[in-house]
Amino acid sequence: MIRIMQAGDPALENIMNRHMAGKEAAAAIVAEIIKTVREQGDRALCAYTADFDQVKLTPGQLKVIPEEIEEAYGLVEKTTLESICLARDNIASFHRKQLEKSWFAPSDNGVILGQLVRPLARAGIYVPGGTAVLFSSVLMNAIPAMVAGVKEIVMVTPPGKDGKLNPYTLVAAAEAGVTEIYKAGGAQAIAALAYGTETIKPVDKITGPGNIYVTLAKQQVYGQVGIDMLAGPSEVLVVADETADASYVAADLLSQAEHDVLASAVLLTPVESLAEKVREEVARQTELLPRRDIVTRSLTDYSAIVITRDLAQAVQMANRFAPEHLELMVKEPFNLLCQITNAGAVFLGSYSPEPVGDYWAGPNHVLPTGGTARFYSPLSVDTFIKKSSIISYTREALEQAGGHIADMAVKEGLDAHANAIRIRLEGKGENQ
Ligand code: HSO
Ligand code: ZN
């Protein structure tokens, strides 16, 4: 069960240094899977699906057909379809605000500089199977791609034991603008997206969360394709003061603890009585949860209630932890926000529990984990665009700058570079 400790407790280091436990052994297995899919294509993909997912598919059955999507619509409750569509609209509207325009900056001497913004041509989205099918992640990956203008949005996800895909996943994909769906999961699906098989055309970038095998596969194919980030188990860190409701804090800690046995849920508070109450509440609420076995393990390993000297120390520790989700359950959350430097998403006040962000509000729920919020950002429209720099010089502008450029080139020992300037300015070109 969750422990209470003081801010200086050495056990905290283990939680601070959480990420990708068991990495080395899995990396070798993943490398082998990628190599085999590169060499054998669909045949390997189907063989791994038979092995890992216990589903026998022929290459012709990998791609989801329109009838399967129609069937899924028949299985999803009207109310849930409505929830999916409303969430989609919130997510789309938030992400539309992220769209960047191309720009051109002309100068007096005729020079035009600029930046062209273009969507990726083809994006691959990984959607995990596992103990809970998170169809909300389909929305969170596909919608930014659609808003960015990506024409081909390809989804891969492992089939269930019956060879079918989860109907909510299929409906969410259809509603979020996914254009192709394949029944494939694990490192083998990542390899297929990166290198292509007879059935799956390679993509430009792979996004989406996954287990350690999927994450390592993304790391290993990076360079061949782009990736969004290396997402690990979910985390929540709550900073709370005496105004926080212990039952809310406990519920929010549990909401992330139930994701994974490796998930991390941390409370930082200077208020000892709150710490005690939250511990009792966590114990009470855990008993009522269907996933209490998972919760109990994640609360024991990577979770803690930490008593800090004051709120300032809590903020300092939160910044070091760089959590995926940070909840500020304090009297003046916006004041504290000014001091936050590292967090995937920040939830302010008592009525912004983390699941509001998981499903609904609009910001993306694919967020940096394991302390990587120090340098990664949430998944966004930016993930699915790229930029080209624009440079247009006139003869006049080149005459002004040519001497400097040629000089720098010669000093680097690159005479051909200098010649590309001189040939234009010394009147030796064919057209002069
Ligand atoms: N909290 C997870 C996302 C999720 N939660 C999906 C529920 N469904 C990512 O950190
Ligand atoms: Zn969640």
Side-chain angles (χ1 to χ4, degrees), residues 204-220:
D204 298 308
K205 189 162 189 172
I206 302 172
T207 71
N211 62 17
I212 183 122
Y213 295 97
V214 169
T215 305
L216 288 169
K218 281 169 70 181
Q219 191 169 29
Q220 291 183 21

Side-chain angles (χ1 to χ4, degrees), residues 234 255-256 259 325 354 358-359:
S234 295
S255 77
Q256 288 313 283
H259 268 295
H325 306 100
E354 192 272 348
D358 274 352
Y359 296 104

Side-chain angles (χ1 to χ4, degrees), residues 61 108 141 204 219 228 243 263 296 305 310 312 344 381 389:
Q61 294 168 321
D108 291 345
N141 279 273
D204 298 308
Q219 191 169 29
D228 53 345
T243 64
T296 309
I305 296 173
D310 46 26
V381 166
S389 301

